[in-house]
Amino acid sequence: MSLFVQKYGGTSVGSIERIEAVADKVAGFKAQGHDMVVVLSAMSGETNRLIGLASQIQENPDPREMDVLVSTGEQVTIALLSMALKKRGYDACSYTGGQVKILTDNAHTKARIQSIDVERMRRDLDSGKVVVVAGFQGVDDEGNITTLGRGGSDTTGVALAAALDATECQIYTDVDGVYTTDPRVVDSARRLDRITFEEMLEMASLGSKVLQIRAVEFAGKYKVPLRVLSTFDEGNGTLISLDEEDNDMEQPVVSGIAFNRDEAKLTIRGVPDTPGVACRILGPVGAANIEVDVIVQNISAIDGTTDFTFTVHRNDAGKALGVLQRVADELGAREVISDDNIAKVSIVGVGMRSHANVASRMFEALGQDNINIQMITTSEIKISVIIDERYLELAVRALHSAFELSEPKITE
Ligand code: ADP
Ligand code: ASP
Ligand code: MG
């Protein structure tokens, strides 16, 4: 007998029929004798709808009130699933994040989990109940409702699995696993049987929204076995492998391609190229709570000035532009430019560690399709480039084919 924590995403609970189908699935596991904790998202589109309502009242509503609002979506689905399970003769009980004491900090809309009290859930499991928990939400130490950031139900699932020492955390979604790239963009994308935790972390942080990045971090930290599977089709899905032994296998150079359209590029031109200038530019940006991603500083021009370019989240672009304009006045820089029409494409693979020329293969593939690279950043297991957003899909397809990702992975 195992204890499974299963998380079902928005599409999987998007209608009454789908909730009934999830109830059948959960009942099936229960009938096999497993203990079941089920974490649910809101019905697909519901969180966006709620955010839309708030935006009709105020451009930047109070984050505390936003959390009270957006957490309601999950409360609907947990109650409906519990009813559907009871209808099938299985005892079930639904809980909000606060009721099972998912304690978080008070960073509303992006709170972090600090502790979970498993006592009540254990009691229910011992008495044979299915425990149904609202994803995405918690409570701070003053009893305020908090939420964990978009896609946060994944993190609830992993955190509950860690706290309950579950056999496996299973993320049920509308694709049957983690693919070499988003299967909605590249038809020939291939499902991976396994992906290392390190690669999954890069894929998630570079834009693959199949798992929330914090969920992957959490799984790594607490060594939670994590699997992504389809709600609608049978199959083993993708195991996020924590097993060090897997690294002995012959790894493909590139395992996957991630991309995102969430960034904007800012350039400050004609700044005096003197020691400390990077800090004088990025210091105020950081102080304004704006996270900077890719950074490039040009070599000095003959007149002793340089250009400095960096990317930020698109939502922060306006704020960053304001900060940069002030910095430009102070430094006597020539001008500040911002560009929203960019995208970041990244190749990810632990095999890059032991292979040379991966970067040149990437640049060659983009060059052949006439895609200009605006910025480049690398780490041991990834290379990211910033390009014009118009060419994003073309770039992803070109790289998918250049690194032969449609072919089955070769392992020895
Ligand atoms: P849920 O609502 O179940 O949480 P999400 O929409 O958050 O589902 O995540 C699933 C989606 O992630 C898929 O429909 C797919 O379009 C997208 N996706 C992006 N990159 C990948 C990838 N590498 N592998 C699988 N799915 C991906
Ligand atoms: N409902 C929330 C969202 O749409 C959380 C989740 O689905 O994981 O972001
Ligand atoms: Mg999701």
Side-chain angles (χ1 to χ4, degrees):
M1 199 177 76
S2 305
L3 165 57
F4 291 123
V5 175
Q6 298 188 333
K7 176 258 170 176
Y8 291 87
T11 316
S12 311
V13 293
S15 65
I16 291 298
E17 293 71 30
R18 289 191 169 172
I19 290 175
E20 298 265 20
V22 168
D24 283 337
K25 232 177 146 77
V26 172
F29 280 91
K30 190 70 193 144
Q32 287 169 26
H34 301 302
D35 282 341
M36 299 298 296
V37 174
V38 182
V39 174
L40 297 185
S41 290
M43 289 176 154
S44 50
E46 177 62 7
T47 309
N48 287 341
R49 187 186 74 85
L50 294 165
I51 293 171
L53 291 179
S55 69
Q56 290 175 42
I57 301 219
Q58 225 182 350
E59 199 183 329
N60 289 309
D62 179 351
R64 181 190 177 281
E65 303 312 325
M66 275 312 278
D67 280 350
V68 174
L69 176 70
V70 297
S71 60
T72 58
E74 275 71 12
Q75 200 168 325
V76 172
T77 50
I78 55 168
L80 293 172
L81 181 71
S82 298
M83 291 172 199
L85 283 165
K86 283 173 198 270
K87 186 171 84 175
R88 285 162 177 73
Y90 291 89
D91 201 3
C93 193
S94 63
Y95 294 107
T96 63
Q99 286 172 324
V100 283
K101 301 198 181 67
I102 299 179
L103 187 73
T104 71
D105 60 20
N106 63 2
H108 284 289
T109 76
K110 47 177 186 291
R112 281 185 178 268
I113 297 176
Q114 291 176 331
S115 67
I116 298 176
D117 181 356
V118 293
E119 206 186 307
R120 194 164 176 182
M121 288 185 279
R122 281 248 181 262
R123 242 185 295 135
D124 279 0
L125 291 171
D126 290 346
S127 67
K129 284 186 191 163
V130 176
V131 175
V132 184
V133 181
F136 177 53
Q137 55 180 262
V139 69
D140 72 6
D141 59 6
E142 288 182 3
N144 297 299
I145 297 172
T146 56
T147 62
L148 310 176
R150 297 307 305 269
S153 300
D154 296 338
T155 303
T156 308
V158 175
L160 287 181
L164 290 159
D165 198 20
T167 314
E168 195 167 90
C169 178
Q170 302 175 333
I171 306 288
Y172 280 94
T173 183
D174 55 4
V175 272
D176 61 352
V178 178
Y179 276 66
T180 47
T181 193
D182 191 338
R184 287 181 209 268
V185 170
V186 179
D187 284 344
S188 60
R190 191 172 44 82
R191 185 181 59 79
L192 302 164
D193 287 331
R194 282 170 173 246
I195 182 168
T196 67
F197 161 75
E198 239 184 323
E199 288 169 325
M200 192 64 239
L201 198 58
E202 287 286 4
M203 291 281 280
S205 67
L206 294 167
S208 296
K209 296 198 167 85
V210 61
L211 281 175
Q212 198 202 32
I213 175 167
R214 283 193 191 166
V216 188
E217 282 170 359
F218 219 107
K221 192 165 164 193
Y222 294 96
K223 306 237 174 299
V224 177
L226 183 61
R227 192 181 288 277
V228 177
L229 314 105
S230 164
T231 308
F232 310 108
D233 302 311
E234 291 301 312
N236 291 330
T238 301
L239 181 69
I240 319 302
S241 162
L242 292 157
D243 197 345
E244 294 297 321
E245 276 173 28
D246 276 2
N247 294 337
D248 295 341
M249 292 190 311
E250 177 75 13
Q251 293 287 351
V253 182
V254 171
S255 293
I257 298 171
F259 54 86
N260 83 52
R261 298 179 169 89
D262 298 340
E263 296 189 21
K265 185 177 80 169
L266 292 126
T267 302
I268 174 162
R269 299 191 60 186
V271 269
D273 192 7
T274 51
V277 73
C279 173
R280 289 188 66 187
I281 296 168
L282 294 182
V285 176
N289 227 340
I290 301 168
E291 245 178 75
V292 171
D293 185 23
V294 187
I295 305 171
V296 168
Q297 181 178 337
N298 289 7
I299 55 163
S300 228
I302 286 172
D303 64 358
T305 66
T306 187
D307 300 339
F308 195 91
T309 306
F310 58 92
T311 64
V312 298
H313 195 285
R314 247 179 232 190
N315 295 346
D316 289 331
K319 197 164 140 197
L321 189 61
V323 173
L324 216 51
Q325 262 148 358
R326 278 204 313 279
V327 172
D329 289 343
E330 276 166 35
L331 294 175
R334 211 165 31 245
E335 64 176 332
V336 176
I337 311 163
S338 98
D339 180 359
D340 265 10
N341 303 312
I342 57 153
K344 185 165 77 172
V345 185
S346 310
I347 56 174
V348 174
V350 290
M352 275 185 214
R353 287 200 181 107
S354 49
H355 287 81
N357 295 330
V358 185
S360 54
R361 246 169 102 188
M362 179 182 194
F363 304 154
E364 188 188 2
L366 295 173
Q368 273 167 359
D369 274 326
N370 267 325
I371 300 168
N372 189 39
I373 300 170
Q374 301 177 10
M375 297 169 89
I376 302 169
T377 170
T378 66
S379 80
E380 229 190 345
I381 67 161
K382 71 120 205 276
I383 303 170
S384 300
V385 295
I386 301 289
I387 59 170
D388 187 321
E389 187 181 2
R390 271 177 302 176
Y391 305 119
L392 175 60
E393 297 196 0
L394 179 64
V396 175
R397 280 196 288 269
L399 294 172
H400 200 267
S401 137
F403 288 99
E404 296 166 355
L405 292 181
S406 308
E407 312 302 323
K409 176 172 160 179
I410 299 158
T411 51
E412 283 180 341

